[in-house]
């Protein structure tokens, strides 16, 4: 085990962010994560492709929010390990004054984020909150130290809410965050869905083997999260089809679906 400040980084059990990093083709995972990732690939061989499509969706969403919607404040819940084009790099690439608050509860993610993601430039701010997203009060209270909740904020839950314990939790968590942000704010999310039965099998497999539980949801459930928001075109769609250009539209739909909504 590796000690990171006062929390232990467990190298004997797989972690979501590290398996995800393995599927994305990164280098920040341990043997136990590689084994879990590989066994996942044997159940759903396209999982790596889905991870990369999802990450490209995240990048397009942040670029849209910064460049077209004029958003300058981002609350990115479930940061993941640093990879190419992280949220703050995309947002501050468009508008250097952007403020980004990352939230995660994985000790390795927190260690990497402290080393690589957090910074304050003359113009922008990138900060980190160590929190479990189930504790929305902590997330909002700490985010208020950095973000101005009287001005539009983009809240992002990208591939994260599958780790919520129940669907009621998802509705409570997303409702609390949507409630906390002002009119003119945005909410973005993607999730693995039941559209592809192999992803359902993968989820069941991880639940049975005791590896990181990730609950896949139906597309209708993903839509339900946006019910009080105005959907940005093209709505809730496979992540590889969201504002992706003609070439990507010819790709088969990803099992991950997502979208962006604006709070009226
Ligand atoms: C599948 S990764 C997605 C990373 C990134 N958002 C992306 O789209 O590439 C899930 C992330 O959620 C984080 N996470 C899982 N459960 C969490 C919880 N209860 N509270 C906060 N973060 C959590 C994990 O540590 C990991 O970084």
């Amino acid at each position: 085990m590796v000690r990171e400040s006062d929390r232990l980084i467990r190298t004997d059990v797989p972690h979501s962010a590290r398996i995800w990093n393995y599927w994305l083709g990164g280098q920040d995972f341990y043997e136990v994560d590689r084994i879990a990732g590989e066994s996942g690939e044997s159940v759903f061989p396209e999982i790596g492709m889905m991870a990369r499509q999802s990450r490209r969706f995240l990048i397009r969403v942040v670029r849209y929010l910064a460049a077209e919607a004029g958003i300058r404040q981002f609350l990115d819940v479930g940061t993941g390990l640093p990879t190419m084009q992280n949220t703050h790099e995309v947002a501050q690439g468009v508008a250097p004054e952007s403020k980004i608050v990352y939230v995660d509860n994985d000790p390795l993610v927190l260690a990497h984020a402290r080393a690589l993601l957090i910074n304050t430039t003359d113009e922008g701010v990138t900060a980190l909150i160590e929190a479990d997203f189930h504790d929305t009060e902590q997330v909002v209270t700490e985010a208020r130290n950095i973000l101005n909740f009287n001005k539009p904020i983009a809240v992002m839950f990208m591939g994260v809410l599958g780790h919520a314990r129940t669907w009621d939790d998802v509705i409570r968590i997303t409702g609390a965050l949507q409630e906390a942000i002002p009119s003119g704010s945005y909410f973005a999310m993607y999730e693995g869905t039941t559209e592809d039965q192999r992803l359902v099998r993968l989820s069941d497999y991880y639940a049975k083997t005791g590896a990181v539980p990730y609950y896949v949801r139906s597309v209708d459930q993903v839509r339900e999260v946006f019910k009080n928001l105005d959907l940005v075109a093209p709505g809730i769609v496979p992540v590889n089809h969201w504002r992706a250009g003609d070439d990507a539209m010819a790709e088969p739909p990803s099992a991950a679906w997502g979208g962006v909504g604006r709070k009226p």
Side-chain angles (χ1 to χ4, degrees):
M1 282 188 280
V2 181
R3 186 171 283 280
E4 191 275 310
S5 67
D6 55 340
R7 296 188 62 198
L8 289 176
I9 294 173
R10 295 282 302 265
T11 56
D12 55 339
V13 287
H15 276 221
S16 159
R18 295 170 353 204
I19 302 175
W20 195 244
N21 185 264
Y22 167 79
W23 286 331
L24 283 173
Q27 314 214 315
D28 297 314
F29 52 84
Y30 297 103
E31 182 64 3
V32 69
D33 307 304
R34 185 187 63 73
I35 291 167
E38 270 182 3
S39 59
E41 284 166 341
S42 68
V43 179
F44 182 26
E46 279 85 10
I47 185 70
M49 189 169 71
M50 191 193 95
R52 291 187 292 279
Q53 289 170 331
S54 301
R55 195 70 209 180
R56 288 197 288 271
F57 167 77
L58 181 154
I59 293 166
R60 287 196 304 282
V61 166
V62 175
R63 194 168 294 129
Y64 164 82
L65 290 167
E68 295 187 45
I71 292 293
R72 298 292 177 262
Q73 306 192 96
F74 294 80
L75 182 58
D76 183 358
V77 185
T79 316
L81 286 156
T83 173
M84 273 173 19
Q85 295 197 281
N86 300 292
T87 298
H88 73 287
E89 288 158 336
V90 179
Q92 291 173 348
V94 174
E97 70 274 26
S98 299
K99 291 182 176 176
I100 290 84
V101 174
Y102 290 113
V103 180
D104 213 289
N105 70 345
D106 181 299
L108 189 68
V109 170
L110 296 166
H112 278 264
R114 280 191 196 101
L116 294 174
L117 300 183
I118 303 179
N119 65 73
T120 301
T121 63
D122 288 346
E123 294 159 298
V125 175
T126 309
L128 174 69
I129 295 174
E130 176 177 353
D132 183 323
F133 58 61
H134 290 88
D135 188 349
T136 53
E137 208 179 311
Q138 185 197 347
V139 171
V140 172
T141 304
E142 293 196 25
R144 278 186 199 282
N145 294 331
I146 295 141
L147 305 179
N148 179 349
F149 275 66
N150 295 317
K151 291 194 172 161
I153 296 172
V155 172
M156 301 163 51
F157 279 92
M158 300 298 213
V160 177
L161 287 167
H163 295 298
R165 285 185 287 263
T166 66
W167 183 247
D168 283 351
D169 281 338
V170 173
I171 294 299
R172 179 186 61 77
I173 292 161
T174 54
L177 267 297
Q178 289 176 13
E179 176 75 29
I181 52 180
S183 166
S185 291
Y186 285 80
F187 181 91
M189 165 182 172
Y190 77 78
E191 274 306 310
T193 71
T194 53
E195 290 295 295
D196 191 321
Q197 285 305 307
R198 295 167 308 163
L199 187 57
V200 177
R201 282 202 290 280
L202 178 62
S203 170
D204 291 346
Y205 169 77
Y206 278 153
K208 274 191 213 113
T209 54
V212 189
Y214 183 94
Y215 304 101
V216 289
R217 322 281 190 190
S218 69
V219 170
D220 281 347
Q221 285 178 310
V222 176
R223 286 209 177 95
E224 187 186 345
V225 170
F226 289 82
K227 68 176 188 292
N228 296 322
L229 306 174
D230 296 332
L231 280 176
V232 171
I236 307 298
V237 295
V239 288
N240 57 330
H241 291 173
W242 195 89
R243 294 180 174 244
D246 293 343
D247 286 354
M249 291 306 286
E251 288 175 11
S254 171
W257 284 54
V260 176
R262 182 178 185 277
K263 181 167 173 176

